[in-house]
Amino acid sequence: ILNVEQSPQSLHVQEGDSTNFTCSFPSSNFYALHWYRWETAKSPEALFVMTLNGDEKKKGRISATLNTKEGYSYLYIKGSQPEDSATYLCASLYGQNFVFGPGTRLSVLP
Amino acid sequence: DAGVTQSPTHLIKTRGQHVTLRCSPISGHKSVSWYQQVLGQGPQFIFQYYEKEERGRGNFPDRFSARQFPNYSSELNVNALLLGDSALYLCASSLVNYNSPLHFGNGTRLTVT
């Protein structure tokens, strides 16, 4: 059974703090790693699609890195804002199936 | 452009009943996948359809079935409902499976009593 893990499970930070989360996945038969942001009462929204070892992607204050050989990805948020409060999901693709992690719930306190 | 739409938004059913959930993908998207999400867990893959053919199936019992229509919309059917089927059911569409992001609908909240 393929298992994608995320840590921490939840995180509370102050506005302006920078933070990061980890996604761990089996490195064999890797195809792609996705990051999604899921705000309450909304649908999950894609942040990044990463496929190559060493990939680094950036979108505003959010960035992500990928290490396919050791099976991990980091998501960084610089200068957290209250609107960054959400659950951040990673998903790894194996064959035709996406395996999602349980998510990291981020709360940014004003 | 309209996003992924799912119906109904909420549903209450009794154990043993049958349910049909519907999903309309973003225009031009030929791949549709279904996920079950229960509290505290990430979405669990149920099915993926591409060009009207099943391309992937998760670890769910045969009570779960799905199909994709010529217009690429999709239905998820669950027979003989159990209390444990209570969950949020998400539909996602995409252009190509792994290089394109998934675009999710708002989900159908199913409660089985």
Side-chain angles (χ1 to χ4, degrees), chain A residues 2 7 12 22 26-27 34 71 77 79 87 90 92 97 100 102 104 110:
Chain A
L2 296 167
S7 62
H12 298 263
T22 304
S27 56
H34 291 208
I77 302 179
T87 295
C90 69
S92 190
N97 305 351
F100 279 81
T104 292

Side-chain angles (χ1 to χ4, degrees), chain A residues 31-32 34 36 38 41-46 49 51 89 93 95-103, chain B residues 35 37 40-45 48 55-58 88 90 97-102 104-106:
Chain A
Y31 284 94
H34 291 208
Y36 293 86
W38 196 356
K42 295 187 178 180
S43 55
E45 172 195 4
V49 175
T51 57
L89 294 167
L93 179 65
Q96 302 289 336
N97 305 351
F98 277 100
V99 179
F100 279 81
Chain B
Y35 297 85
Q37 197 261 339
Q41 297 181 21
Q44 301 293 310
F45 172 77
Q48 193 235 342
R55 295 299 181 95
R57 184 187 182 110
L88 178 69
L90 291 165
N97 200 341
Y98 69 92
N99 246 350
S100 298
L102 299 174
F104 285 90
N106 285 329

Side-chain angles (χ1 to χ4, degrees), chain A residues 10-99:
Chain A
S10 65
L11 196 54
H12 298 263
V13 301
Q14 290 294 134
E15 183 175 355
D17 287 350
S18 293
T19 187
N20 64 86
F21 330 131
T22 304
C23 173
S24 301
F25 54 89
S27 56
S28 58
N29 300 317
F30 172 85
Y31 284 94
L33 193 285
H34 291 208
W35 281 100
Y36 293 86
R37 175 171 57 203
W38 196 356
E39 297 178 66
T40 303
K42 295 187 178 180
S43 55
E45 172 195 4
L47 289 172
F48 303 113
V49 175
M50 309 174 79
T51 57
L52 299 175
N53 185 45
D55 244 356
E56 291 188 27
K57 299 222 171 177
K58 188 174 181 182
K59 189 176 186 177
R61 295 179 291 99
I62 305 177
S63 60
T65 61
L66 179 66
N67 183 321
T68 61
K69 294 185 178 180
E70 296 183 38
Y72 65 84
S73 176
Y74 294 138
L75 187 79
Y76 302 90
I77 302 179
K78 185 177 178 181
S80 302
Q81 300 297 308
E83 57 265 30
D84 295 329
S85 296
T87 295
Y88 291 82
L89 294 167
C90 69
S92 190
L93 179 65
Y94 299 96
Q96 302 289 336
N97 305 351
F98 277 100
V99 179

Side-chain angles (χ1 to χ4, degrees), chain A residues 96, chain B residues 28-33 47-56 67-69 72 74 93-97:
Chain A
Q96 302 289 336
Chain B
H29 286 190
K30 299 180 180 180
S31 175
V32 171
S33 50
F47 284 109
Q48 193 235 342
Y49 276 78
Y50 180 70
E51 284 281 16
K52 302 179 286 294
E53 290 191 4
E54 181 183 305
R55 295 299 181 95
R67 54 181 177 167
Q68 187 177 33
F69 298 98
Y72 303 108
S74 178
S93 73
S94 65
L95 285 169
V96 176
N97 200 341

Side-chain angles (χ1 to χ4, degrees), chain A residues 43, chain B residues 1-9 21-27 32 34 72-74 89-93 103-108:
Chain A
S43 55
Chain B
D1 282 344
V4 176
T5 57
Q6 291 186 243
S7 63
T9 54
L21 310 181
R22 295 179 174 83
C23 172
S24 293
I26 289 173
S27 177
V32 171
W34 288 93
Y72 303 108
S73 67
S74 178
Y89 289 85
L90 291 165
C91 171
S93 73
H103 297 262
F104 285 90
N106 285 329
T108 294

